[in-house]
Amino acid sequence: MDFTDVMSELERLGTEQNRKVYRRHGATDPLFGVSFAHMNALEKRIKRDHKLAEALWATGNSDARTLAAAIADPGRFTRERLEAWLADARSPLLVDLFVKHIAAKTPFARAAMEQWTASDDEWVGRAGWSLLGALAAEDPSLPDSVFEERLAVIEASIHRAKNRAREAMNGALISIGGRNEPLRGKALTVARRIGKVEIDHGETSCKTPDATAYIQKMWARRPAAPVATKPAVKTAAGQGKAAAAKAAKAPAAAKAAARPAMAPGATKAAARPAKAPAAAKRASGTAARTGARRG
């Protein structure tokens, strides 16, 4: 699909009802109001197309930019281009999709996270904290110290952070708590100290997850680690039982040894004494009966 085809398809798939819902959740005009199901189907059809993604992003249309974030190639982004896209993202969903599909997959994700989490801009800050949460969940190479430092910042500043950045900080806290056991304990400690986090979700039914409860729920759903078993150690009593069992088998072995030896390849039937032919048996019986009558 080329640019014209995609824009026509997006416009065709949009609905007024979806536009109303998306606006309540912070989406900005212009937008068509394409459902997530249709957007996912388009993404699968197009797959990766960076040139098309750049053209879609340049339209300023929220739906076009949503699709652009999904089909863009993270490997084609320079740090400058990443900053340019972020400067255009001014809604919660678009920032989060930009982070998930692009920023988190670039080689400068950590550097961007460190810069953006220090920003006073609500949307840049949101991107930074969303990126921190993505790295906590997806990048096992980072040391725990990276996340421990940010836990201290979250504890000190979450209540005075701007609304949408504060929401992302709460999400990052939860992600850090799910990374590993040591960070779980530290994140829970911070979450308890912070207490309830207030987020203005506008005219929606969205609720702010309680970090403490959410972290505990995540770990409760994880399968328990398998219990390591030690190899059995033979005790004197156990060795005695084994010896008794071995002795019990001796008579059977003796019986087997007493049987006639079988030549290699011979069958059990061949090892038995040969039976007299049936005709010989009948002849012998007849002779015996005749002799008895004659006598």
Side-chain angles (χ1 to χ4, degrees):
M1 300 177 73
D2 62 18
F3 172 76
T4 302
D5 293 334
V6 172
M7 290 299 292
S8 296
E9 185 71 355
L10 288 172
E11 185 173 10
R12 184 184 71 82
L13 294 171
T15 68
E16 180 58 32
Q17 179 59 33
N18 284 341
R19 286 192 286 274
K20 291 178 180 178
V21 172
Y22 294 162
R23 287 184 185 119
R24 286 201 300 270
H25 283 81
T28 57
D29 287 305
L31 76 160
F32 296 128
V34 180
S35 70
F36 285 105
H38 285 136
M39 195 67 76
N40 290 338
L42 275 174
E43 178 189 342
K44 289 179 181 178
R45 285 172 62 187
I46 298 170
K47 297 183 174 64
R48 186 76 70 203
D49 190 331
H50 193 74
K51 183 178 179 180
L52 177 58
E54 287 282 8
L56 292 172
W57 190 266
T59 65
N61 181 286
S62 289
D63 294 282
R65 283 181 167 176
T66 296
L67 181 59
I71 66 173
D73 181 359
R76 298 279 297 277
F77 278 83
T78 62
R79 181 63 190 276
E80 292 73 23
R81 195 66 189 135
L82 194 71
E83 295 288 346
W85 274 46
L86 176 56
D88 291 335
R90 286 296 180 267
S91 71
L93 175 62
L94 200 53
V95 169
D96 292 348
L97 290 175
F98 162 77
V99 167
K100 174 185 176 182
H101 292 300
I102 300 171
K105 298 178 181 179
T106 62
F108 27 83
R110 178 177 175 179
M113 177 274 294
E114 291 173 346
Q115 178 183 331
W116 296 346
T117 52
S119 175
D120 289 331
D121 181 275
E122 182 174 14
W123 301 110
V124 175
R126 182 183 181 88
W129 293 106
S130 293
L131 183 50
L132 177 66
L135 293 176
E138 300 171 10
D139 190 347
S141 69
L142 294 177
D144 284 1
S145 59
V146 170
F147 304 101
E148 291 166 350
E149 291 170 4
R150 295 309 176 291
L151 284 176
V153 176
I154 291 172
E155 182 177 356
S157 60
I158 190 169
H159 288 303
R160 64 173 184 269
K162 293 180 180 177
N163 188 56
R164 292 302 184 177
R166 183 164 65 251
E167 182 181 23
M169 292 173 84
N170 192 59
L173 173 59
I174 292 170
S175 292
I176 293 171
R179 183 174 173 86
N180 58 40
E181 278 282 6
L183 287 174
R184 171 194 182 185
K186 292 176 181 179
L188 283 172
T189 298
V190 169
R192 292 185 182 112
R193 288 174 180 167
I194 288 172
K196 186 176 182 180
V197 176
E198 298 287 352
I199 306 294
D200 180 4
H201 296 284
E203 298 177 5
T204 71
S205 59
C206 295
K207 296 181 180 179
T208 305
D210 177 83
T212 300
Y214 207 97
I215 292 170
Q216 291 173 334
K217 187 182 296 184
M218 281 196 303
W219 282 90
R221 289 175 177 172
R222 294 188 181 185
V227 179
T229 56
K230 295 181 179 180
V233 178
K234 290 185 178 180
T235 61
Q239 290 175 347
K241 289 181 180 178
K246 187 174 181 180
K249 294 179 181 178
K255 287 182 180 179
R259 296 191 190 108
M262 293 172 57
T267 63
K268 289 183 179 179
R272 298 190 189 104
K275 294 182 180 179
K281 284 187 176 181
R282 288 194 296 271
S284 175
T286 301
R289 287 193 296 275
T290 303
R293 285 197 297 269
R294 286 177 182 173

